[in-house]
């Protein structure tokens, strides 16, 4: 059974940092791209970042480019999202999802709250 | 990286059909067939219901169908059921990024 489990969310002050993790199981992890998608309270889905299966290619939304870094450790079946210089508008549930021209599997999400 | 355009809300009675549109540009929806649709119930993760414009994953009822013309994709739900009440999002691949629609709330009257 394919599973994606996010962790690392929490309350952080503006300007602070967090590292989110997404642990995968049930499939050959290194052959799939993994994306982060976020959803602010009461709002729609917003694509955040993507990383290829081997980790050599990464992409970022304009809204987080320069403040976030996506990486993966295929030996641990884990994708990370390092988020720096956090702003109030980064408050959201962050989902990781498997990408194969669509998002066929999603995690349950982890809540990031940026507030003083 | 502008969001795709969807109607904020649609509604229909049980048994009826509704169609949700999703308008993008020649750089996203109009440039490839990697358009997908997701259903999201409150407090839950999104669920894939249509991929590659018009394909249904295993387990998704054939009441759900997708199409595309030019820069606009559409999701049609026929034979509406109470459990179809949810938010629906379109999504398109755009080479160096992925873009979602703003979401449409479906109300089953």
């Amino acid at each position: 059974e394919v599973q994606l489990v996010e962790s690392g969310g929490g309350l952080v002050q503006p300007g602070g940092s967090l590292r989110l993790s997404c642990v995968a199981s049930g499939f050959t992890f290194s052959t799939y791209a993994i994306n982060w998608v976020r959803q602010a309270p009461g709002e729609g889905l917003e694509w955040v970042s993507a990383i290829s299966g081997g980790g050599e290619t990464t992409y970022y939304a304009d809204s987080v480019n320069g403040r976030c870094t996506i990486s993966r450790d295929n030996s641990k079946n884990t994708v990370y999202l390092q988020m720096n210089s956090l702003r109030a508008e980064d408050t959201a549930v962050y989902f990781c999802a498997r990408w194969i021209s669509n998002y066929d599997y999603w995690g349950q999400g982890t809540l990031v709250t940026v507030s003083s | 990286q502008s969001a795709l355009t969807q109607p904020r809300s649609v509604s229909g009675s049980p048994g009826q059909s509704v169609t949700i549109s999703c308008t993008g540009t020649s750089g996203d929806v109009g440039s490839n067939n990697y358009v997908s649709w997701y259903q999201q119930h409150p407090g839950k993760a999104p669920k894939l219901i249509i991929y590659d414009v018009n394909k249904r994953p295993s387990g998704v009822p054939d009441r759900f169908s997708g199409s595309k013309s030019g820069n606009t994709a559409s999701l049609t739900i026929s034979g509406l059921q109470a459990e179809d009440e949810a938010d629906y999002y379109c999504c398109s691949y755009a080479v160096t990024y992925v873009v979602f629609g703003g979401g449409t709330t479906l109300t089953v009257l």
Side-chain angles (χ1 to χ4, degrees), chain B residues 43-92:
Chain B
K44 301 294 187 181
K47 173 190 175 184
L48 177 68
I49 56 172
I50 294 289
Y51 68 98
D52 294 355
V53 174
N54 56 14
K55 298 180 174 63
R56 277 178 291 104
S58 174
V60 173
D62 59 6
R63 303 185 295 103
F64 293 88
S65 62
S67 63
K68 191 187 86 165
S69 177
N71 297 338
T72 298
S74 298
L75 171 71
T76 297
I77 309 171
S78 58
L80 274 175
Q81 299 182 3
E83 59 262 35
D84 298 334
E85 187 161 292
D87 292 327
Y88 291 84
Y89 296 90
C90 61
C91 175
S92 177

Side-chain angles (χ1 to χ4, degrees), chain A residues 6-12 18 20 39-41 83 90-95 108-114:
Chain A
E6 304 94 336
S7 62
L11 175 64
V12 61
L18 272 181
L20 307 183
Q39 186 169 35
M83 302 189 296
D90 294 317
T91 294
V93 173
Y94 285 72
F95 297 98
Q108 83 290 347
T110 187
L111 176 62
V112 172
T113 303
V114 183

